[in-house]
Amino acid sequence: GSSGGGDFTGSGGTTLTFGGGPHTITGQYNIAGQSKFTGGSSVTYSAASTIVNIGSSDNVNGGTVISNSGESFATPSLTFATGTLTGSDAVSVQGDGVGATTDFAWSGGTMIGSGTVTVTSGASAAISGAVTLSRSLLNQGSVAWTDGQVSGSGSFTNQSGGTFTSLLISSRFFFPSFANQAGATFTHSPPATVNSEFTGAFSNAGTVDCTTASTLLMSNGGSHPGSFTGTGSGTLGFGG
């Protein structure tokens, strides 16, 4: 473990890896390269720290990141496989400008805490494994849900201009609440035998488009001033 008021700085080619711990950051953090949180590490960005740059890409694979600096910070790219992201800071994934890549690849792990995570306009995200969402996730870009159950008591807000596409390869549940705001689009496009069930409250003020012969079930109520469209022979189910 480590602590102290010293600074962490690094150029664009730098990789700073935290393993074990705990580590407490109380000085300036300015890493232009990659920050990696692995091997059961625990890293706390305290209220005394100043986050100038969290890295051009960040990787959480077995570590716990506790971000309570009192600041908002952004990363172009985030890979989250296992571990925990928690704390009160607002985090945004802004995209790396490479259209063929996924900016926020979420295949496992837990996001909790009072802070928000935002996928900004132009950035992309993919949920491809079993994950836990117990904080607020805001989408202004594009999110694809390809596999894995989404557990947790948090919330997902598809904001104006955001797109959320269900491309599941197996039937799955989505437990957090889901809000599809005005100007946002939710597209349900799994194969015919694959179904999606949203067990938290689901509200639609934007557009929900069902394009395949699959089932979309909203089983816990919600308000729906937006539109529902369908081009296939799928089923839209309301419960709660």
Side-chain angles (χ1 to χ4, degrees), residues 27 35 45 65-67 96 188 207 232:
S35 297
Y45 295 90
V65 182
I66 306 166
S67 186
D96 59 11
H188 193 251
T207 299

Side-chain angles (χ1 to χ4, degrees), residues 44-47 49-51 54 65-74 85-92 112-118 135-136:
T44 299
Y45 295 90
S46 72
S49 66
T50 301
I51 301 176
I54 195 73
V65 182
I66 306 166
S67 186
N68 290 319
S69 71
E71 303 177 29
S72 300
F73 62 92
L85 172 64
T86 185
S88 57
D89 288 345
V91 180
S92 62
I112 60 177
S114 59
T116 59
V117 174
T118 301
R135 69 188 289 160
S136 296

Side-chain angles (χ1 to χ4, degrees), residues 2-156:
S2 63
S3 63
D7 299 334
F8 289 88
T9 62
S11 62
T14 300
T15 297
L16 180 60
T17 301
F18 294 96
H23 304 273
T24 301
I25 312 298
T26 58
Q28 184 183 95
Y29 192 91
N30 188 3
I31 300 297
Q34 184 181 51
S35 297
K36 298 181 71 174
F37 309 90
T38 65
S41 61
S42 174
V43 180
T44 299
Y45 295 90
S46 72
S49 66
T50 301
I51 301 176
V52 177
N53 192 342
I54 195 73
S56 60
S57 65
D58 298 291
N59 188 307
V60 182
N61 190 2
T64 297
V65 182
I66 306 166
S67 186
N68 290 319
S69 71
E71 303 177 29
S72 300
F73 62 92
T75 178
S77 175
L78 174 61
T79 301
F80 195 178
T82 60
T84 302
L85 172 64
T86 185
S88 57
D89 288 345
V91 180
S92 62
V93 181
Q94 296 186 333
D96 59 11
V98 182
T101 63
T102 299
D103 302 308
F104 178 15
W106 193 12
S107 58
T110 298
M111 293 200 297
I112 60 177
S114 59
T116 59
V117 174
T118 301
V119 179
T120 64
S121 178
S124 63
I127 302 171
S128 60
V131 300
T132 300
L133 175 61
S134 290
R135 69 188 289 160
S136 296
L137 178 56
L138 312 175
N139 176 45
Q140 302 163 356
S142 63
V143 175
W145 182 25
T146 60
D147 198 14
Q149 179 168 287
V150 181
S151 303
S153 57
S155 63
F156 187 106

